[in-house]
């Protein structure tokens, strides 16, 4: 079951073990193509066909990638970045928004071996999202090695409470 809203795909998956009633899992994903790059000089959508990612992301604290969306349900969401990183060392990234009360979570993106090898990196704490239209930004925080921060393919959200 998927729902397309304002160019963003939301999914509702069901699963249960034998003898249990199926419980709905509320999750959605923001893809690289959904990003607003107006505050992200140098960041580009690549390649021309899916799966796409945001590349050319300089390791500069002033670069901000913004995603606008409406969560399907209010609650606390586990946040996972699907990303790659070639430089040695870790990159610290903040995911945050202002939606009534400021919220942010930190993610550490480690070296994946190559820019083409993607892994999932989960935020250290969940984000409390409302069911209203909001914007989430992704930016570098603190120090990190290398000229480029990461390639970002998607941000996944899964309702945890």
């Amino acid at each position: 079951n998927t729902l397309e809203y304002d160019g963003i795909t939301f999914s509702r998956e069901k699963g249960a073990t034998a003898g249990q009633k199926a419980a709905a899992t509320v999750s959605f994903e923001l893809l690289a193509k959904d990003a607003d790059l107006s505050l992200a000089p140098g960041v580009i959508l690549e390649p021309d066909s899916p799966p796409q990612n945001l590349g050319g992301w300089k390791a500069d604290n002033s670069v901000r990638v913004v995603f606008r969306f409406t969560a399907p349900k209010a609650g606390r969401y586990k946040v996972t970045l699907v990303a790659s990183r070639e430089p040695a060392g870790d990159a610290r990234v903040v995911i945050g928004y202002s939606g009534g009360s400021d919220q942010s979570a930190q993610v550490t993106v480690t070296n994946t071996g190559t820019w083409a090898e993607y892994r999932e990196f989960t935020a250290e704490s969940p984000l409390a999202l409302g069911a209203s239209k909001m914007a989430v930004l992704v930016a570098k925080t603190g120090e990190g090695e290398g000229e480029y921060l990461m390639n970002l393919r998607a941000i996944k959200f899964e309702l945890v409470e």
Side-chain angles (χ1 to χ4, degrees):
N1 293 324
T2 61
L3 168 67
E4 183 82 19
Y5 174 77
D6 199 21
I8 301 169
T9 302
F10 298 92
S11 67
R12 224 179 232 277
E13 300 172 9
K14 295 189 180 205
T17 59
Q20 290 182 325
K21 183 178 175 183
T25 299
V26 177
S27 62
F28 64 99
E29 185 174 86
L30 303 174
L31 301 175
K33 69 178 181 62
D34 302 320
D36 173 351
L37 301 178
S38 61
L39 300 174
V43 178
I44 59 170
L45 183 64
E46 59 184 17
D48 293 335
S49 60
Q52 294 174 303
N53 64 265
L54 298 176
W57 193 322
K58 294 275 190 176
D60 177 342
N61 289 2
S62 68
V63 175
R64 309 270 191 264
V65 173
V66 177
F67 292 87
R68 289 177 177 74
F69 65 97
T70 301
K73 182 177 180 180
R76 294 174 56 79
Y77 285 81
K78 177 175 87 169
V79 181
T80 304
L81 299 181
V82 180
S84 67
R85 177 172 164 77
E86 191 172 273
D90 299 343
R92 297 280 293 162
V93 178
V94 64
I95 301 168
Y97 77 95
S98 180
S101 63
D102 289 341
Q103 297 286 326
S104 66
Q106 303 282 321
V107 180
T108 300
V109 178
T110 59
N111 179 299
T112 60
T114 70
W115 288 113
E117 186 178 335
Y118 287 81
R119 292 189 190 143
E120 293 189 352
F121 300 93
T122 301
E124 295 167 2
S125 59
L127 281 181
L129 301 178
S132 58
K133 195 153 187 112
M134 60 179 49
V136 166
L137 70 85
V138 181
K140 178 181 180 283
T141 181
E143 298 300 317
E145 296 182 34
E147 181 182 2
Y148 292 96
L149 182 65
M150 67 178 170
N151 282 349
L152 179 64
R153 183 165 284 164
I155 305 174
K156 296 180 177 184
F157 294 83
E158 181 180 344
L159 185 66
V160 292
E161 51 186 71

